[in-house]
Amino acid sequence: MATSANQSRIGVPCLACPLRLKPAFKDKTDDEVRFIQAMKMEHRLLPAGADIIQPGQEDAALYTLFSGWAFRYKSLPDGRRQILNFLLPGDLVGLQASLLSAAQHGIEALTEVELCAFPRKRVWDLFVRMPSLSYEIAWLGSREESLIDENLTSVGQRNAAERIAALLISLHRRADALGLVSENSFRFPLSQQQLADALGLSLVHTSKTWAKLRRAGLFSVSGGRLTLLNPRLTARMVSLFERELEPRPLI
Amino acid sequence: MATSANQSRIGVPCLACPLRLKPAFKDKTDDEVRFIQAMKMEHRLLPAGADIIQPGQEDAALYTLFSGWAFRYKSLPDGRRQILNFLLPGDLVGLQASLLSAAQHGIEALTEVELCAFPRKRVWDLFVRMPSLSYEIAWLGSREESLIDENLTSVGQRNAAERIAALLISLHRRADALGLVSENSFRFPLSQQQLADALGLSLVHTSKTWAKLRRAGLFSVSGGRLTLLNPRLTARMVSLFERELEPRPLI
DNA sequence: CGGAGTGTTGAGGTAGCTCAATGTGTGTGG
DNA sequence: CCACACACATTGAGCTACCTCAACACTCCG
């Protein structure tokens, strides 16, 4: 769970970053990309379950998630844990931790992950020298907050089935924007316990509700992949107003 | 509820801003304050219940809350509503809304409020010309996210009594940092319905749990003010690890 | 083969829900 | 001055969504 098996290696140069080509991301000028590349400290590879940022850590770096999934969480002293949000490729990892003096949360790799690491100290530098990038960092921070707002609303107002549906829809749309969905099917690496911690439900009730929705034909799971059998219906369950997924910055 | 009774008037010049003198806020250079003052569009006075930002609004300005309380919320189509967080003097209002293309939430005045309004279009300007301020805006965004993380953890993991205690402690500490607390007593303008919407509980259960904690001697209410009778005990109920409240930027 | 991690299911308890009645303070119009 | 409406708080009664405890199955791995 806590092993920090960081295996440094040379990553792809940012100018040739395959992530950057996806339509989910806004274009950057060559200047901006060169700045990002110069700022990049290392390319880290971590196994599933590794701690990316520890709660209370004071020297956390800033990362961009290059591949894999991760999640932010907060624990109470008695062991209860809330998963705050999930991180998918292209998301900033540890912005809050790198701006505030100490991390108020933990971040853990959900699958094997690749991270582009930027030294904490150079974030200030970026704000001074690259206003366009600093604006986009603030934008990405606001976008993350917006996702957490959605989760809080789910946990505070929706029942178990609605919460599951809302989470699936949200993950489906985010994965889709990254081109990770084919025929409504995408990799789904969450354990039931992690699901429960994200939904604010007990493990048992999560499992039962999950099974019920599966039997009701909402989705199917096989080989670590999840298929939404009727995305429209699922979306209607949580009465989403469909928000545009506009291209976002990639730092 | 929705009347926009904005009565423009000359506010205090930012250089002489009384809020800025409080120890809760970091010092700024004269240059920075002058920039903020030049950017300030107007000083708005709104009555309790007024909409500051409407859900979906696309041209929301950025504000600093000068006096009074407000809250951010998100509504579901069937009327359920989640209060995401409360805003106290010195907090940025509408950062998310002014960065993203449309507000994903609403913001409502809880009491009469005074707002320092900054035009949305000049936020970009600020990032270009004032790196120190843009860094601090990002910092304040992260701080707000951290508060929402705490609320999400509360709603997802704590029972009704713990949620109330956590909310009271959090508000008490924030009000205290602003010098708004005397003898553990501070203004408390929330209705039970608003309390319920913030806690993710029904109105009835909120009222019953509230009464139980009051009878148990945790706090008392009179004249719109709330007194924490045993802050230590209350804090222990939610097992907070006491975080420093370091001075924060005031834009 | 044994143990650990994960998922499923049943049984029974309770925290929190809905419905409904009542009280209380405040503003408004006659 | 009273009558009335309205918003807000309180309390009781009964229901259920979700909880905990517990047993069992499956897979992976040493």
Side-chain angles (χ1 to χ4, degrees):
Chain A
M1 184 92 62
T3 57
S4 176
N6 50 326
Q7 165 184 345
S8 189
R9 68 181 180 104
I10 303 299
V12 187
C14 299
L15 278 161
C17 177
L19 214 47
R20 198 169 291 290
L21 300 176
K22 301 194 187 243
F25 301 104
K26 287 170 62 178
D27 286 337
K28 287 212 165 357
T29 66
D30 282 0
D31 249 17
E32 290 169 337
V33 179
R34 270 191 291 269
F35 185 93
I36 293 168
Q37 176 143 14
M39 184 172 167
K40 181 168 168 180
M41 180 169 52
E42 57 168 338
H43 196 87
R44 293 179 75 188
L45 182 63
L46 293 177
D51 291 334
I52 299 174
I53 290 179
Q54 307 239 4
Q57 189 176 338
E58 295 187 354
D59 61 350
L62 175 65
Y63 305 91
T64 288
L65 186 53
F66 178 77
S67 72
W69 290 33
F71 61 86
R72 289 199 320 124
Y73 66 93
K74 225 170 146 71
S75 296
L76 298 181
D78 62 5
R80 287 178 284 181
R81 178 178 78 160
Q82 178 67 38
I83 290 184
L84 303 165
N85 59 327
F86 292 98
L87 303 167
L88 267 56
D91 288 342
L92 278 183
V93 179
L95 175 60
Q96 204 190 110
S98 73
L99 289 176
L100 305 186
S101 54
Q104 303 300 314
H105 57 259
I107 304 186
E108 187 177 315
L110 186 56
T111 65
E112 177 177 88
V113 295
E114 289 179 273
L115 296 162
C116 309
F118 307 102
R120 172 193 182 83
K121 299 199 168 174
R122 299 203 50 193
V123 174
W124 166 249
D125 215 41
L126 181 149
F127 271 80
V128 172
R129 293 179 45 205
M130 282 279 152
S132 58
L133 292 183
S134 59
Y135 185 88
E136 297 193 324
I137 283 183
W139 192 96
L140 286 168
S142 287
R143 174 182 172 274
E144 178 170 283
E145 185 181 292
S146 164
L147 288 174
I148 302 165
D149 289 348
E150 182 60 51
N151 290 344
L152 174 50
T153 304
S154 231
V155 172
Q157 303 298 327
R158 296 201 245 247
N159 66 27
E162 291 172 323
R163 287 184 217 181
I164 290 177
L167 180 62
L168 290 187
I169 287 293
S170 167
L171 290 175
H172 177 263
R173 302 186 72 214
R174 291 171 63 193
D176 193 25
L178 294 168
L180 300 174
V181 174
S182 70
E183 316 209 339
N184 285 326
S185 160
F186 58 105
R187 184 177 178 195
F188 194 81
L190 305 203
S191 72
Q192 303 263 3
Q193 183 63 63
Q194 288 159 344
L195 212 37
D197 288 346
L199 299 171
L201 296 171
S202 73
L203 174 60
V204 173
H205 194 61
T206 300
S207 177
K208 285 175 178 169
T209 310
W210 182 261
K212 192 163 65 179
L213 293 184
R214 189 154 30 75
R215 278 187 226 112
L218 216 63
F219 61 89
S220 66
V221 187
S222 92
R225 293 180 68 84
L226 184 143
T227 307
L228 277 188
L229 299 175
N230 192 339
R232 285 286 179 85
L233 174 66
T234 309
R236 204 160 337 123
M237 277 192 62
V238 297
S239 352
L240 281 179
F241 38 101
E242 295 282 328
R243 166 159 51 121
E244 285 299 305
L245 279 185
E246 48 183 327
R248 64 185 200 265
L250 177 62
I251 303 297
Chain B
M1 186 86 64
T3 59
S4 176
N6 50 326
Q7 164 185 349
S8 189
R9 68 181 180 105
I10 304 299
V12 187
C14 299
L15 278 161
C17 177
L19 213 49
R20 198 169 290 291
L21 300 174
K22 302 194 186 245
F25 300 105
K26 287 171 63 179
D27 287 337
K28 286 213 163 356
T29 66
D30 283 357
D31 250 17
E32 290 169 338
V33 180
R34 269 192 292 269
F35 185 91
I36 292 169
Q37 177 144 12
M39 184 171 165
K40 181 169 168 180
M41 179 170 51
E42 56 168 340
H43 197 86
R44 292 179 74 188
L45 182 62
L46 294 176
D51 290 334
I52 299 174
I53 289 178
Q54 307 238 5
Q57 190 176 338
E58 296 187 352
D59 61 350
L62 176 63
Y63 305 92
T64 289
L65 185 54
F66 178 76
S67 72
W69 290 32
F71 62 86
R72 286 200 320 125
Y73 66 92
K74 226 171 144 71
S75 297
L76 299 183
D78 61 4
R80 288 178 283 180
R81 178 177 78 160
Q82 178 67 37
I83 291 185
L84 302 164
N85 60 325
F86 293 98
L87 302 167
L88 269 54
D91 288 343
L92 278 183
V93 180
L95 174 59
Q96 206 189 108
S98 73
L99 289 177
L100 305 188
S101 54
Q104 303 300 316
H105 58 260
I107 306 187
E108 185 177 316
L110 187 55
T111 66
E112 177 178 88
V113 295
E114 289 179 272
L115 297 161
C116 308
F118 306 102
R120 174 192 180 83
K121 298 199 167 172
R122 301 203 49 194
V123 174
W124 166 249
D125 215 42
L126 181 149
F127 272 80
V128 172
R129 294 179 46 205
M130 281 280 152
S132 58
L133 292 183
S134 59
Y135 185 87
E136 296 192 325
I137 283 182
W139 192 96
L140 285 168
S142 287
R143 174 181 172 276
E144 178 169 283
E145 184 180 293
S146 164
L147 287 175
I148 303 165
D149 289 348
E150 181 60 50
N151 290 344
L152 175 50
T153 305
S154 232
V155 172
Q157 303 298 326
R158 297 201 245 248
N159 65 28
E162 291 172 325
R163 286 183 216 181
I164 290 177
L167 179 62
L168 291 186
I169 287 293
S170 167
L171 290 175
H172 177 264
R173 302 186 72 214
R174 290 171 65 193
D176 194 25
L178 295 168
L180 299 174
V181 174
S182 69
E183 316 208 340
N184 285 326
S185 161
F186 59 104
R187 183 177 182 194
F188 195 82
L190 304 203
S191 72
Q192 303 264 5
Q193 183 62 65
Q194 288 159 343
L195 213 36
D197 287 346
L199 299 171
L201 297 171
S202 72
L203 175 60
V204 174
H205 194 61
T206 301
S207 178
K208 285 174 178 168
T209 310
W210 182 260
K212 191 163 67 179
L213 292 185
R214 190 154 28 76
R215 278 188 225 111
L218 215 65
F219 61 89
S220 65
V221 187
S222 92
R225 292 180 68 83
L226 185 144
T227 307
L228 278 187
L229 299 173
N230 192 340
R232 288 284 181 84
L233 175 64
T234 308
R236 202 160 338 121
M237 276 191 64
V238 296
S239 351
L240 285 177
F241 37 100
E242 296 284 326
R243 164 159 53 121
E244 285 300 304
L245 279 185
E246 49 183 326
R248 66 184 199 266
L250 176 63
I251 303 299

